[in-house]
């Protein structure tokens, strides 16, 4: 096994197009032990985000995909009345499986002064869109009545950006503020599969700078109108949509901003059938989709065969950025022990205090290692030697010794202390109340 991994590493290295730059403070360690998962809060349908609620020192906000967001206290106790309810504003969601809904929220870094809260949700298709498209993704701003108000008034909603979606899948829709004070917003490639079909550019939306689909956007909300373009966005002066910060992404469903180190933006890009990947998202970078997948080439007409002669440079001549970490997908590699799952779920670099063994490591996971059973797994990533991909280790919590969480991992969360949470849905759909917020805590001896 070790030899085969080394061989794989050597093979991967020959494909590296750009020097990898691990975040500062990251150090390789031996196997992770002493971590337990505590059922912190439950009764959600499909929790997709947990962030600190700045209204109190230790409260959190949990976003439920069905169109609701709840406040919970430090003990995980939930306020029954929702903080936000946009169910009347979203498309009608499918109970069996749906990637649409209320997808994320963010508090303005200066919430204490301006009380601004942001959200992304899937609204019905607007009239200006092509009639055979699916829905319109909305980025909106709310203003809380007071910093500790227990709910948001829908009448304060201001629409900042609408993006029409040709398909119901690959929405991304994750937002977070960067260390630079700008709002980052991941947008999926449009949907369907292989970056092809209705609503896709001939070269793939992710490679088309005239589309917002398949990108990481960056917006300056600190302007008089509440919507502006940072001066150093790559197309701020022309050549593409000015909101674009990075391109070549397929579906960066969840990303996070490291609260420590150099405040890196780290995104997990869901792959097609073969490879799942983690990327450090940098200004002007192109992550290769749908010309590349993971460290190898991608052929949209033959997605399981990865061409050895695929371009390593984008059409503008700049090299594609390689991921920091790649693992195999069970869909293409069902019998490979190295396969990590079927859909990566981005997490957080751990900067908390309770689990020093995780300090500076990237905690993430995979939605599930199979379709039929809830079999999500948590992984811990730490860098290898300089210039090499990060290592991935299966976390085996003392409470879940096989590493299976018995749920589909929808997202991770981070509280005001830097402690990390795992969010699961007991089903693949938007039914029942099997959504659980787990907190990573030290094992009891
Ligand atoms: Ca890529």
């Amino acid at each position: 096994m070790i030899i085969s991994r080394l061989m794989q590493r050597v093979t991967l290295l020959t494909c590296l197009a750009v020097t990898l730059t691990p975040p500062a403070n990251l150090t390789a360690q031996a196997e992770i032990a002493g971590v337990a998962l505590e059922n912190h809060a439950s009764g959600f349908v499909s929790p997709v985000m947990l962030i600190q609620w700045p209204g109190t020192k230790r409260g959190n906000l949990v976003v439920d995909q069905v169109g609701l967001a709840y406040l919970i206290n430090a003990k995980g106790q939930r306020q029954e009345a929702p903080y936000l309810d946009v169910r009347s504003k979203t498309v009608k969601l499918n109970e069996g499986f749906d990637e649409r809904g209320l997808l994320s929220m963010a508090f303005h870094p200066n919430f204490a002064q301006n009380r601004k809260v942001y959200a992304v949700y899937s609204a019905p298709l607007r009239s200006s869109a092509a009639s055979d498209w699916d829905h319109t993704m909305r980025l909106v701003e709310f203003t809380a009545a007071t910093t500790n108000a227990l709910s948001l008034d829908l009448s304060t909603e201001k629409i900042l950006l609408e993006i029409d979606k040709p398909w119901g899948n690959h929405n991304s829709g994750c937002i977070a503020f960067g260390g630079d004070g700008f709002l980052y917003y991941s947008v999926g490639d449009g949907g369907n599969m292989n970056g092809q079909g209705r609503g896709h550019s001939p070269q793939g939306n992710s490679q088309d700078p005239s589309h917002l689909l398949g990108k990481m956007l960056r917006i300056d909300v600190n302007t008089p109108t509440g919507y502006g373009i940072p001066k150093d966005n790559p197309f701020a002066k022309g050549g593409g949509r000015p909101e674009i910060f990075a391109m070549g992404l397929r579906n960066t469903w969840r990303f996070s901003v490291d609260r420590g180190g150099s405040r890196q933006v780290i995104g997990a890009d869901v792959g097609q059938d073969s490879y799942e990947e983690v990327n450090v998202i940098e200004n002007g970078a192109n992550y290769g989709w749908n010309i590349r997948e993971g460290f190898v080439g991608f052929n949209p007409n033959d997605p399981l065969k990865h061409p050895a002669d695929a371009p390593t440079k984008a059409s503008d001549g700049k090299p594609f950025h390689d991921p920091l970490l790649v693992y195999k997908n069970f869909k293409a590699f069902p019998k490979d022990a190295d396969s990590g799952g079927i859909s990566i779920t981005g997490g957080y670099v751990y900067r908390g205090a309770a689990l020093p063994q995780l300090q500076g490591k990237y905690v993430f996971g995979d939605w599930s290692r199979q379709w039929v059973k809830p079999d999500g797994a948590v992984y811990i990533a730490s860098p290898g030697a300089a210039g090499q991909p990060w290592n991935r280790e299966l976390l085996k919590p003392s409470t879940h010794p096989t590493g299976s969480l018995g749920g589909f991992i929808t997202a991770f969360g981070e509280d005001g202390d830097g402690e990390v949470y795992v969010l699961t849905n007991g089903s693949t759909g938007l039914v029942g109340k099997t959504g659980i917020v787990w907190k990573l805590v030290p094992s009891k001896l």
Side-chain angles (χ1 to χ4, degrees):
M1 179 63 81
I2 290 170
I3 289 172
S4 72
R5 282 202 179 161
L6 282 171
M7 291 292 287
Q8 185 190 25
R9 180 88 26 86
V10 170
T11 311
L12 294 177
L13 274 174
T14 60
C15 303
L16 292 182
V18 169
T19 307
L20 302 174
T21 52
N25 308 337
L26 282 165
T27 50
Q29 285 181 14
E31 186 174 325
I32 304 290
V35 179
L37 292 180
E38 176 185 276
N39 185 329
H40 182 71
S42 56
F44 304 97
V45 181
S46 180
V48 291
M49 183 173 246
L50 180 148
I51 50 175
Q52 183 194 10
W53 177 47
T56 62
K57 216 171 179 184
R58 289 219 152 67
N60 293 303
L61 179 84
V62 178
V63 177
D64 195 322
Q65 192 184 342
V66 292
L68 296 163
Y70 294 97
L71 298 174
I72 60 173
N73 66 15
K75 291 179 177 168
Q77 294 161 328
R78 185 169 103 182
Q79 175 192 279
E80 269 320 303
Y83 185 70
L84 178 65
D85 181 353
V86 291
R87 288 177 297 178
S88 62
K89 291 174 169 287
T90 65
V91 286
K92 187 175 178 349
L93 302 173
N94 297 315
E95 290 193 344
F97 178 82
D98 209 319
E99 298 183 17
R100 304 168 303 173
L102 177 59
L103 302 179
S104 66
M105 291 176 67
F107 290 95
H108 193 285
N110 295 324
F111 177 78
Q113 283 77 46
N114 63 25
R115 309 185 311 282
K116 301 288 188 198
V117 191
Y118 300 84
V120 174
Y121 63 84
S122 314
L125 189 68
R126 59 179 167 171
S127 58
S128 60
S131 60
D132 60 344
W133 284 28
D134 187 79
H135 69 280
T136 297
M137 204 157 67
R138 238 180 231 166
L139 169 66
V140 299
E141 173 204 282
F142 295 101
T143 305
T146 61
T147 52
N148 55 4
L150 299 178
S151 67
L152 293 174
D153 185 341
L154 291 186
S155 70
T156 66
E157 182 185 61
K158 187 170 125 186
I159 296 174
L160 298 185
L161 178 64
E162 291 189 304
I163 302 174
D164 301 322
K165 282 289 325 299
W167 300 81
N169 63 343
H170 300 187
N171 306 315
S172 298
C174 188
I175 51 172
F177 280 89
D180 53 15
F182 297 130
L183 183 67
Y184 288 74
Y185 177 15
S186 66
V187 182
D189 71 0
N192 194 32
M193 56 181 77
N194 303 321
Q196 289 185 321
R198 182 180 71 227
H200 284 275
S201 299
Q203 72 270 44
N205 289 335
S206 307
Q207 295 299 324
D208 182 350
S210 72
H211 265 293
L212 295 179
L213 301 169
K215 312 294 187 314
M216 178 69 78
L217 311 183
R218 190 176 65 158
I219 295 156
D220 183 0
V221 297
N222 300 306
T223 67
T225 63
Y227 189 85
I229 302 299
K231 286 191 181 68
D232 61 338
N233 273 9
F235 303 113
K237 296 190 177 100
R241 294 292 296 270
E243 290 91 347
I244 295 172
F245 178 74
M247 53 196 286
L249 297 169
R250 182 178 178 276
N251 189 20
T252 299
W253 157 244
R254 299 290 87 166
F255 73 88
S256 66
V257 176
D258 185 356
R259 65 169 53 207
S262 58
R263 308 297 312 275
Q264 286 182 314
V265 178
I266 302 183
D269 206 29
V270 178
Q272 180 60 51
D273 297 314
S274 301
Y275 299 104
E276 304 295 302
E277 63 185 58
V278 176
N279 298 301
V280 170
I281 310 290
E282 296 178 337
N283 191 351
N286 186 323
Y287 294 88
W289 179 252
N290 63 351
I291 296 168
R292 300 184 71 78
E293 185 182 31
F295 290 114
V296 299
F298 182 80
N299 177 359
N301 299 313
D302 197 354
L304 293 177
K305 284 193 179 152
H306 297 279
D309 59 348
T312 57
K313 291 178 178 172
S315 59
D316 63 3
K318 291 183 195 159
F320 290 125
H321 278 233
D322 270 333
L324 278 184
L325 179 151
V326 167
Y327 63 85
K328 291 176 185 164
N329 186 316
F330 274 108
K331 283 184 281 180
F333 303 101
K335 292 176 181 168
D336 197 314
D338 269 355
S339 295
I342 53 181
S343 182
I344 193 169
T345 303
Y348 289 83
V349 175
Y350 183 83
R351 302 288 184 187
L355 296 162
Q357 66 271 48
L358 296 181
Q359 193 57 235
K361 294 177 183 290
Y362 181 61
V363 181
F364 71 106
D366 193 282
W367 184 67
S368 181
R369 291 173 292 183
Q370 47 185 322
W371 274 103
V372 282
K373 280 189 190 167
D375 188 23
V378 176
Y379 296 108
I380 309 295
S382 47
Q388 293 197 2
W390 289 4
N391 299 306
R392 173 179 61 95
E393 182 189 331
L394 174 66
L395 181 71
K396 293 178 177 171
S398 57
T399 47
H400 300 70
T402 66
S404 176
L405 263 62
F408 296 91
I409 297 181
T410 48
F412 286 75
E414 185 188 47
D415 68 18
D417 297 323
E419 299 303 331
V420 169
Y421 300 74
V422 191
L423 281 51
T424 59
N425 180 348
S427 82
T428 57
L430 300 179
V431 285
K433 296 273 172 133
T434 59
I436 297 175
V437 171
W438 304 89
K439 186 175 187 182
L440 271 64
V441 297
S443 299
K444 292 190 178 78
L445 293 174

